[in-house]
Short mmCIF file of all heavy atoms in Angstrom, two decimals:
data_model
loop_
_atom_site.label_atom_id
_atom_site.label_comp_id
_atom_site.label_asym_id
_atom_site.label_seq_id
_atom_site.Cartn_x
_atom_site.Cartn_y
_atom_site.Cartn_z
N LEU E 145 10.81 28.54 -6.95
CA LEU E 145 10.09 29.76 -7.33
C LEU E 145 10.70 31.00 -6.67
O LEU E 145 11.17 30.91 -5.53
CB LEU E 145 8.60 29.65 -6.88
CG LEU E 145 7.80 28.49 -7.50
CD1 LEU E 145 6.60 28.18 -6.61
CD2 LEU E 145 7.41 28.81 -8.90
N VAL E 146 10.61 32.11 -7.36
CA VAL E 146 11.02 33.38 -6.77
C VAL E 146 9.91 34.41 -7.05
O VAL E 146 9.15 34.28 -8.00
CB VAL E 146 12.36 33.90 -7.31
CG1 VAL E 146 13.49 32.94 -6.95
CG2 VAL E 146 12.30 34.08 -8.84
N ASN E 147 9.88 35.38 -6.19
CA ASN E 147 8.95 36.50 -6.40
C ASN E 147 9.28 37.17 -7.74
O ASN E 147 10.44 37.26 -8.17
CB ASN E 147 9.10 37.49 -5.26
CG ASN E 147 8.29 38.74 -5.48
OD1 ASN E 147 8.78 39.70 -6.08
ND2 ASN E 147 7.04 38.76 -5.01
N ALA E 148 8.24 37.66 -8.44
CA ALA E 148 8.43 38.26 -9.75
C ALA E 148 9.41 39.43 -9.76
O ALA E 148 10.04 39.72 -10.79
CB ALA E 148 7.08 38.69 -10.30
N GLN E 149 9.56 40.10 -8.64
CA GLN E 149 10.48 41.24 -8.55
C GLN E 149 11.90 40.87 -8.18
O GLN E 149 12.80 41.73 -8.21
CB GLN E 149 9.92 42.27 -7.54
CG GLN E 149 8.50 42.69 -7.79
CD GLN E 149 8.26 43.20 -9.17
OE1 GLN E 149 9.02 43.99 -9.71
NE2 GLN E 149 7.15 42.74 -9.82
N LEU E 207 3.12 31.11 1.04
CA LEU E 207 3.00 31.46 -0.38
C LEU E 207 2.59 32.91 -0.57
O LEU E 207 3.09 33.61 -1.43
CB LEU E 207 2.01 30.50 -1.05
CG LEU E 207 1.82 30.63 -2.56
CD1 LEU E 207 3.15 30.44 -3.28
CD2 LEU E 207 0.80 29.64 -3.05
N ASN E 208 1.67 33.38 0.25
CA ASN E 208 1.21 34.76 0.15
C ASN E 208 2.35 35.76 0.40
O ASN E 208 2.45 36.78 -0.30
CB ASN E 208 0.11 35.03 1.19
CG ASN E 208 -1.22 34.38 0.79
OD1 ASN E 208 -1.43 34.05 -0.40
ND2 ASN E 208 -2.07 34.13 1.73
N VAL E 210 5.55 35.18 -0.15
CA VAL E 210 6.47 35.11 -1.26
C VAL E 210 5.91 35.95 -2.44
O VAL E 210 6.63 36.71 -3.10
CB VAL E 210 6.72 33.66 -1.70
CG1 VAL E 210 7.55 33.58 -2.97
CG2 VAL E 210 7.41 32.89 -0.61
N ILE E 211 4.60 35.79 -2.69
CA ILE E 211 3.98 36.57 -3.75
C ILE E 211 4.09 38.11 -3.42
O ILE E 211 4.30 38.90 -4.31
CB ILE E 211 2.49 36.15 -3.93
CG1 ILE E 211 2.40 34.74 -4.48
CG2 ILE E 211 1.75 37.13 -4.81
CD1 ILE E 211 1.02 34.17 -4.51
N GLY E 212 3.93 38.40 -2.15
CA GLY E 212 3.97 39.78 -1.70
C GLY E 212 5.38 40.36 -1.67
O GLY E 212 5.53 41.58 -1.50
N LEU E 222 3.81 22.01 -7.44
CA LEU E 222 3.39 22.53 -8.73
C LEU E 222 1.88 22.79 -8.82
O LEU E 222 1.45 23.80 -9.36
CB LEU E 222 3.81 21.52 -9.82
CG LEU E 222 3.45 21.87 -11.28
CD1 LEU E 222 3.99 23.23 -11.68
CD2 LEU E 222 3.95 20.80 -12.24
N ALA E 223 1.10 21.90 -8.25
CA ALA E 223 -0.35 22.01 -8.34
C ALA E 223 -0.85 23.30 -7.66
O ALA E 223 -1.75 23.95 -8.17
CB ALA E 223 -1.03 20.79 -7.73
N SER E 224 -0.29 23.63 -6.50
CA SER E 224 -0.79 24.78 -5.75
C SER E 224 -0.18 26.13 -6.20
O SER E 224 -0.67 27.17 -5.79
CB SER E 224 -0.54 24.58 -4.24
OG SER E 224 0.86 24.48 -4.00
N THR E 225 0.85 26.05 -7.00
CA THR E 225 1.53 27.28 -7.39
C THR E 225 1.38 27.63 -8.89
O THR E 225 1.75 28.72 -9.32
CB THR E 225 3.03 27.27 -7.07
OG1 THR E 225 3.64 26.14 -7.76
CG2 THR E 225 3.24 27.11 -5.57
N LEU E 226 0.88 26.73 -9.65
CA LEU E 226 0.81 26.89 -11.12
C LEU E 226 0.05 28.16 -11.54
O LEU E 226 0.52 28.91 -12.43
CB LEU E 226 0.13 25.67 -11.75
CG LEU E 226 0.04 25.69 -13.29
CD1 LEU E 226 1.45 25.76 -13.93
CD2 LEU E 226 -0.71 24.46 -13.81
N GLN E 227 -1.06 28.42 -10.89
CA GLN E 227 -1.82 29.63 -11.27
C GLN E 227 -1.04 30.90 -11.07
O GLN E 227 -1.18 31.88 -11.83
CB GLN E 227 -3.14 29.68 -10.43
CG GLN E 227 -2.93 29.73 -8.95
CD GLN E 227 -4.24 29.86 -8.17
OE1 GLN E 227 -5.14 30.60 -8.60
NE2 GLN E 227 -4.35 29.18 -7.07
N HIS E 228 -0.19 30.94 -10.04
CA HIS E 228 0.59 32.11 -9.76
C HIS E 228 1.77 32.26 -10.72
O HIS E 228 2.23 33.34 -11.04
CB HIS E 228 1.09 32.09 -8.31
CG HIS E 228 0.00 31.96 -7.32
ND1 HIS E 228 -1.00 32.90 -7.19
CD2 HIS E 228 -0.29 30.98 -6.39
CE1 HIS E 228 -1.83 32.53 -6.22
NE2 HIS E 228 -1.42 31.37 -5.75
N ILE E 229 2.26 31.10 -11.22
CA ILE E 229 3.30 31.13 -12.24
C ILE E 229 2.69 31.66 -13.55
O ILE E 229 3.26 32.54 -14.21
CB ILE E 229 3.89 29.73 -12.46
CG1 ILE E 229 4.54 29.20 -11.19
CG2 ILE E 229 4.87 29.70 -13.60
CD1 ILE E 229 4.93 27.73 -11.24
N GLN E 230 1.52 31.15 -13.88
CA GLN E 230 0.88 31.57 -15.10
C GLN E 230 0.44 33.01 -15.09
O GLN E 230 0.43 33.69 -16.15
CB GLN E 230 -0.32 30.66 -15.37
CG GLN E 230 0.06 29.20 -15.68
CD GLN E 230 -1.12 28.25 -15.76
OE1 GLN E 230 -2.17 28.49 -15.12
NE2 GLN E 230 -0.99 27.17 -16.52
N SER E 231 0.11 33.53 -13.92
CA SER E 231 -0.27 34.94 -13.80
C SER E 231 0.87 35.89 -13.78
O SER E 231 0.72 37.11 -13.88
CB SER E 231 -1.13 35.13 -12.54
OG SER E 231 -0.31 35.02 -11.37
N GLY E 232 2.09 35.37 -13.58
CA GLY E 232 3.29 36.18 -13.55
C GLY E 232 3.68 36.67 -12.16
O GLY E 232 4.65 37.42 -12.00
N LYS E 233 2.91 36.24 -11.14
CA LYS E 233 3.24 36.67 -9.77
C LYS E 233 4.50 35.98 -9.24
O LYS E 233 5.20 36.50 -8.36
CB LYS E 233 2.07 36.41 -8.84
CG LYS E 233 0.83 37.27 -9.16
CD LYS E 233 -0.31 36.91 -8.23
CE LYS E 233 -1.56 37.76 -8.56
NZ LYS E 233 -2.68 37.39 -7.69
N LEU E 234 4.75 34.76 -9.77
CA LEU E 234 5.92 33.99 -9.39
C LEU E 234 6.66 33.63 -10.62
O LEU E 234 6.07 33.38 -11.67
CB LEU E 234 5.53 32.75 -8.56
CG LEU E 234 4.86 32.98 -7.21
CD1 LEU E 234 4.41 31.64 -6.66
CD2 LEU E 234 5.81 33.68 -6.24
N ARG E 235 7.99 33.47 -10.48
CA ARG E 235 8.83 33.04 -11.61
C ARG E 235 9.38 31.65 -11.30
O ARG E 235 9.99 31.47 -10.21
CB ARG E 235 9.99 34.02 -11.82
CG ARG E 235 10.86 33.66 -13.03
CD ARG E 235 12.05 34.62 -13.16
NE ARG E 235 11.59 36.01 -13.21
CZ ARG E 235 11.93 36.94 -12.34
NH1 ARG E 235 12.77 36.64 -11.32
NH2 ARG E 235 11.49 38.16 -12.41
N ALA E 236 9.16 30.72 -12.20
CA ALA E 236 9.65 29.36 -11.99
C ALA E 236 11.05 29.24 -12.56
O ALA E 236 11.26 29.50 -13.76
CB ALA E 236 8.74 28.36 -12.70
N ILE E 247 3.59 20.39 -18.10
CA ILE E 247 2.84 21.58 -17.74
C ILE E 247 3.69 22.84 -17.88
O ILE E 247 3.22 23.93 -18.22
CB ILE E 247 2.31 21.46 -16.30
CG1 ILE E 247 1.25 20.34 -16.26
CG2 ILE E 247 1.70 22.77 -15.84
CD1 ILE E 247 0.64 20.16 -14.90
N LEU E 248 5.05 22.69 -17.61
CA LEU E 248 5.98 23.80 -17.74
C LEU E 248 7.14 23.36 -18.60
O LEU E 248 8.28 23.20 -18.12
CB LEU E 248 6.48 24.27 -16.34
CG LEU E 248 5.46 24.79 -15.38
CD1 LEU E 248 6.06 25.03 -13.99
CD2 LEU E 248 4.84 26.10 -15.88
#
Side-chain angles (χ1 to χ4, degrees):
L145 300 159
V146 296
N147 174 271
Q149 307 306 315
L207 184 58
N208 287 339
V210 174
I211 292 172
L222 179 56
S224 62
T225 59
L226 182 61
Q227 60 177 319
H228 304 299
I229 298 169
Q230 293 172 334
S231 71
K233 294 178 180 178
L234 296 174
R235 183 185 305 120
I247 294 181
L248 298 172

